[in-house]
Amino acid sequence: MLNRISFIGGGVMAEAMVQGLLSRKLVSPSSIIVSEPRRERREELKAKYQVLVTDRNVKVAVTSQVVVLCVKPQDVQNVLAELKGHLKAGQLIISIVAGTRLTTISEGVGHGAVVRVMPNTPAQCGEGMSVWTATKAVTKTQFESSKAILGAFGKELFMQDEKFLDMATAVSGTGPTYVFLVMEAMIDAAVHLGFPRHIAYELVTETIRGSIVYAIKSGKHPAELRNLVTSPGGTSAAALYQLEKGGLRTVISKAILAAYERSRSLGEQGATVHGKETRT
Ligand SMILES: NC(=O)c1ccc[n+]([C@@H]2O[C@H](COP(=O)([O-])OP(=O)(O)OC[C@H]3O[C@@H](n4cnc5c(N)ncnc54)[C@H](OP(=O)(O)O)[C@@H]3O)[C@@H](O)[C@H]2O)c1
């Protein structure tokens, strides 16, 4: 069990992590401290989870074994500069900040042991998928702690090479957005046919949920499952013809590539900003 874990930024993802850690009893509420600038949000987190709250980033960082950076990419440089020189050997930084590279964090804060994670929003209900990597300075114990922390709100997958983080950003990090858009399109189409909206919602969500559970349990490739239900001249064949004609596969492939390129360019911008800051 961790003595103390702190979160810098008390937003959506920090809350998902706090919830996961508490529900798995990995830490007690009094071992969690969240640093958050907005008073109403601090009070909300304190009332909901009985965790400690503050608005002083440095104060929480220096007293914690693990410091989790949960701010938006545009705020991370300020936080790194604020923390610089305050962390000691034995402490671990875990960053969930999208696109911000290990070197940007490590050099920005002047600390070697850093873990970079790409989680996703289903973490909010304990069904997240987190892909992570670590600097060489991360010890075996810190590695195991990171695994346990990230496993508290879903599945976690360690990748040795940081290049996979930008790829994961495009596939699993941004992935829920693609799924929600498909859900929305199917619901609207069902309404267009004549279903009341609440029934359309249930039909679509249960179909997607059931298909995912079935695919995982069967262990079969999606193409095989699809072929099993595509009878000659049937409804699936008619629908698939239109999906292929509309370029569904190409559009999905282009979307994932665009998200990947955007993640890489955000990482490059962060590295450049950091480079400028250290020179001044
Ligand atoms: N949401 C996702 O699906 C997702 C997935 C993967 C990765 N991420 C990454 O996770 C990070 C957090 O995302 P989120 O969705 O949790 O964002 P969020 O809800 O906006 O949370 C960010 C929090 O940081 C606080 N903050 C701003 N400046 C700060 C500072 N200087 N010191 C301390 N706290 C500060 C904000 O305070 P205010 O209340 O004043 O705004 C806010 O509560 C982002 O970098 C994002 O890229 C998110």
Side-chain angles (χ1 to χ4, degrees):
M1 205 183 212
L2 290 163
N3 293 333
R4 173 63 63 91
I5 177 165
S6 61
F7 291 85
I8 310 275
V12 175
M13 292 306 286
E15 182 170 358
M17 293 178 82
V18 166
Q19 254 174 353
L21 290 170
L22 293 177
S23 66
R24 301 241 173 154
K25 298 195 182 344
L26 281 178
V27 281
S28 62
S30 60
S31 300
I32 296 178
I33 179 155
V34 182
S35 181
E36 158 64 35
R38 215 156 35 88
R39 187 169 52 84
E40 304 79 51
R41 180 61 176 158
R42 287 199 298 276
E43 283 168 7
E44 187 188 351
L45 291 169
K46 189 178 171 185
K48 228 166 152 183
Y49 305 103
Q50 289 77 53
V51 294
L52 307 170
V53 290
T54 179
D55 60 352
R56 295 176 59 194
N57 292 340
V58 172
K59 190 180 153 201
V60 295
V62 295
T63 56
S64 300
Q65 274 171 289
V66 178
V67 183
V68 190
L69 300 181
C70 295
V71 295
K72 289 281 188 200
Q74 61 268 29
D75 296 317
V76 76
Q77 292 296 339
N78 288 341
V79 171
L80 296 178
E82 207 182 335
L83 299 184
K84 188 157 192 166
H86 290 286
L87 297 168
K88 295 188 186 69
Q91 286 186 286
L92 171 69
I93 299 176
I94 297 182
S95 167
I96 66 159
V97 183
T100 307
R101 294 176 182 166
L102 284 174
T103 48
T104 304
I105 300 159
S106 180
E107 289 172 17
V109 82
H111 189 76
V114 182
V115 158
R116 176 182 165 195
V117 191
M118 176 41 62
N120 65 10
T121 46
Q124 287 169 60
C125 61
E127 296 287 344
M129 180 70 235
S130 299
V131 179
W132 61 289
T133 191
T135 57
K136 289 198 169 63
V138 169
T139 65
K140 199 165 180 293
T141 312
Q142 288 172 331
F143 185 92
E144 291 308 325
S145 298
S146 305
K147 212 172 161 54
I149 292 166
L150 303 177
F153 50 90
K155 294 202 168 168
E156 51 76 30
L157 180 70
F158 172 77
M159 301 299 289
Q160 187 84 46
D161 194 330
E162 191 177 6
K163 75 175 185 191
F164 289 107
L165 267 285
D166 287 318
M167 298 182 202
T169 303
V171 178
S172 51
T174 319
T177 316
Y178 319 143
V179 177
F180 297 144
L181 185 66
V182 169
M183 280 171 72
E184 195 188 331
M186 285 177 71
I187 291 167
D188 286 348
V191 171
H192 187 204
L193 289 182
F195 278 113
R197 193 159 278 278
H198 69 282
I199 294 179
Y201 180 88
E202 191 173 356
L203 289 181
V204 171
T205 51
E206 284 305 303
T207 301
I208 291 176
R209 192 189 61 77
S211 305
I212 289 166
V213 173
Y214 174 42
I216 292 170
K217 286 196 174 168
S218 72
K220 291 194 167 106
H221 189 280
E224 198 182 338
L225 296 173
R226 186 169 53 75
N227 285 342
L228 285 173
V229 291
T230 311
S231 330
T235 57
S236 293
L240 286 168
Y241 174 74
Q242 289 300 333
L243 289 169
E244 298 287 15
K245 200 174 162 200
L248 183 76
R249 284 175 205 257
T250 315
V251 160
I252 289 176
S253 183
K254 280 184 177 171
I256 291 181
L257 186 62
Y260 169 68
E261 281 167 355
R262 183 73 187 129
S263 176
R264 276 170 54 97
S265 96
L266 283 173
E268 274 156 26
Q269 279 167 30
T272 313
V273 171
H274 168 68
K276 275 184 190 150
E277 283 205 352
T278 53
R279 281 196 294 275
T280 54

